[in-house]
Amino acid sequence: MSFNFPYFRPPAGAEELRAEVREFIAKERAEGRWRRQGDFAIHYDPDFSRRLGERGWIGMTWPKAYGGGERSMLERLVVTEELLAANAPVAAHWIADRQSGPLLLRFGNEEQRRKYLPGVAAGEIFFSIGMSEPDSGSDLASVRTRGVKVDGGWLITGRKVWTTFAHRNHYAITLVRTGERQESRHSGLTQFIVDLKNTEGLTIRPIINMAGTHEFNELTFDEAFVPDDAIVGAPGNGWTQVTSELAYERSGPERYLSSIRLGEALVAAAGKTPEPRVQEAIGRLAARLCALRGMSLAVAAMLANGETPNLEAALIKDLGNAYERELIEIARNLQPVLPAIDTEFDEALAECTIYSPSWMLRGGTREILRGLVARGLGLR
Ligand SMILES: Cc1cc2nc3c(=O)[nH]c(=O)nc-3n(C[C@H](O)[C@H](O)[C@H](O)COP(=O)(O)OP(=O)(O)OC[C@H]3O[C@@H](n4cnc5c(N)ncnc54)[C@H](O)[C@@H]3O)c2cc1C
């Protein structure tokens, strides 16, 4: 097995589209609609999502019949890059656009696609991911939340944790054990669309993160009734479906642009004539960033071809995590920092320092990703 990162050529019109997104962002900023802060997963602004939806920049690649734009995956990437580079408040629609929508397109039925996708594309319906449990994070196949068949639906009992923005989003695609493990521990899992606003027996409680803010939640299901038509795909096929989401989750530019604000602040603080050691350090960081971008573009091209580049995606996430962690250390070593937040550099550094530990965990921990890569290379 070897990795495949084919050279990517930008689509026609990509630069015009990039200019259009930059102009939109500049106008938003000039009007004071939001300020640059936080990484993609925490800056939640439904009004901004709606404005993006009006522009056709959510669900860009989906069929027009479901509210999409029938544009290419690579055009979508141009928009994503610009939004992330500006630290735009994309958190509300992020999961739905990146992951839940493509999942429903691939495995959902016609009724589900028509029910949810137009609202997602309009920036009005938002999704969460209900995978992790108190004793089941990296080893997702061990989920214990259980669904029992009853007339017209299922009674779900169990607990999910770290469910980002479940207190604000509308639905969570939730992984549940509905059958016994048979020959494979991956069998018997099913994905349900759980209505987060109207499900009796579901309690959503906050989990405050180390930055002192509320993005995570704990979901407790106590015989919560979920109708049959909430099942995504075939009952028991949850494992195949959930793993197909992971290439979308792991390979995007969010895996190396969460810290872009700090990178830019570092360059600005270095000034026009930085000393050689500063030049060298920034040059090395820039080269790594370019390589990561090339790899991420290649994965986008493979996804556009209908491939499932899970291994390449795992590698990008791991290398992206390494880059972002080292950027923080390098920035701190290169610039004198006092315990105060007076400048753009100070604020960006503080923000990245507080949030970056979570970047290494979300979407799969570095140990797990490395295990996947090693297995792919035939090393274990
Ligand atoms: C910011 C953030 C947002 C998140 N949002 C969501 C969300 O919306 N929905 C959701 O479902 N989940 C979410 N998660 C949860 C995330 O997916 C899990 O934290 C992650 O999968 C790790 O699981 P865990 O925390 O249970 O750690 P564990 O699986 O218990 O791992 C603990 C440690 O052991 C190591 N480890 C575990 N197994 C192995 C192994 N086989 N070999 C080597 N080392 C191993 C891990 O690398 C890690 O260092 C989020 C997490 C974060 C940080």
Side-chain angles (χ1 to χ4, degrees):
M1 169 77 206
S2 62
F3 292 107
N4 183 21
F5 289 103
Y7 180 69
F8 158 83
R9 213 170 277 288
E15 288 319 303
E16 289 79 359
L17 178 58
R18 194 179 293 286
E20 202 187 320
V21 184
R22 284 187 182 176
E23 196 186 321
F24 165 76
I25 289 171
K27 187 159 173 282
E28 290 261 316
R29 301 278 309 278
E31 289 169 356
R33 289 184 182 254
W34 43 271
R35 65 185 281 271
R36 200 172 183 196
Q37 70 177 123
D39 85 314
F40 71 95
I42 58 170
H43 202 173
Y44 194 104
D45 180 349
D47 292 334
F48 178 77
S49 296
R50 235 185 318 274
R51 292 197 292 279
L52 273 194
E54 280 165 15
R55 292 261 170 168
W57 290 339
I58 303 178
M60 281 179 75
T61 61
W62 308 347
K64 289 192 174 150
Y66 307 126
E70 295 186 4
R71 303 185 77 164
S72 70
M73 193 73 119
L74 307 169
E75 287 173 287
R76 176 181 182 273
L77 196 73
V78 167
V79 174
T80 308
E81 275 191 326
E82 290 303 321
L83 293 172
L84 291 171
N87 292 113
V90 295
H93 67 271
W94 193 258
I95 301 293
D97 181 40
R98 177 185 73 185
Q99 215 160 319
S100 321
L103 181 87
L104 291 176
L105 264 181
R106 190 161 168 195
F107 297 106
N109 60 34
E110 187 58 17
E111 201 186 320
Q112 290 168 339
R113 292 185 196 137
R114 293 204 179 269
K115 178 171 174 187
Y116 300 108
L117 296 181
V120 171
E124 287 168 357
I125 293 183
F126 308 131
F127 274 80
S128 292
I129 304 171
M131 294 190 196
S132 307
E133 298 187 3
D135 296 314
S136 186
S138 303
D139 183 15
L140 205 50
S142 67
V143 296
R144 292 204 206 135
T145 296
R146 179 163 279 282
V148 176
K149 185 76 188 93
V150 291
D151 200 20
W154 299 75
L155 288 180
I156 298 182
T157 301
R159 257 194 318 153
K160 295 284 172 186
V161 280
W162 319 127
T163 323
T164 305
F165 285 120
H167 59 305
R168 302 191 68 179
N169 291 344
H170 304 93
Y171 300 97
I173 298 201
T174 306
L175 189 66
V176 175
R177 180 158 289 288
T178 52
E180 295 311 318
R181 296 178 186 188
Q182 290 162 355
E183 63 287 354
S184 147
R185 59 197 296 270
H186 299 148
S187 61
L189 295 169
T190 301
Q191 285 185 303
F192 288 87
I193 303 169
V194 172
D195 185 332
L196 294 168
K197 308 282 182 211
N198 301 298
T199 298
E200 229 171 282
L202 167 63
T203 310
I204 302 174
R205 293 191 191 90
I207 302 178
I208 305 302
N209 65 20
M210 67 183 266
T213 58
H214 175 198
E215 286 118 33
F216 292 137
N217 297 276
E218 177 193 60
L219 271 54
T220 307
F221 295 83
D222 184 6
E223 298 203 331
F225 177 80
V226 179
D228 281 326
D229 62 11
I231 289 186
V232 183
N237 194 38
W239 181 258
T240 309
Q241 295 174 193
V242 96
T243 46
S244 83
E245 286 181 53
L246 295 176
Y248 292 102
E249 185 171 357
R250 290 178 173 161
S251 63
E254 64 267 38
R255 299 308 174 193
Y256 51 90
L257 288 179
S258 293
S259 55
I260 184 76
R261 185 179 177 201
L262 178 60
E264 285 179 15
L266 175 64
V267 172
K272 289 211 180 321
T273 50
E275 52 182 287
R277 76 183 181 100
V278 178
Q279 285 179 27
E280 186 192 322
I282 291 178
R284 281 181 188 279
L285 289 168
R288 284 170 74 179
L289 190 58
C290 288
L292 281 164
R293 179 168 186 251
M295 293 166 81
S296 174
L297 293 172
V299 167
M302 287 192 274
L303 286 170
N305 284 339
E307 297 168 46
T308 309
N310 279 341
L311 217 56
E312 284 81 0
L315 188 64
I316 293 174
K317 180 166 185 287
D318 183 50
L319 293 176
N321 284 164
Y323 161 80
E324 298 212 298
R325 208 189 53 200
E326 285 165 39
L327 166 64
I328 297 169
E329 282 164 23
I330 291 166
R332 217 172 46 198
N333 284 335
L334 290 182
Q335 290 298 325
V337 190
L338 294 171
I341 299 187
D342 296 329
T343 65
E344 168 71 9
F345 179 83
D346 294 346
E347 189 176 308
L349 180 61
E351 208 172 65
C352 285
T353 304
I354 290 171
Y355 278 100
S356 62
S358 76
W359 302 345
M360 319 297 152
L361 302 172
R362 66 183 180 193
T365 68
R366 297 195 63 197
E367 291 75 17
I368 294 301
L369 297 168
R370 288 175 172 203
L372 285 174
V373 170
R375 195 172 311 123
L377 290 173
L379 300 173
R380 66 187 279 251

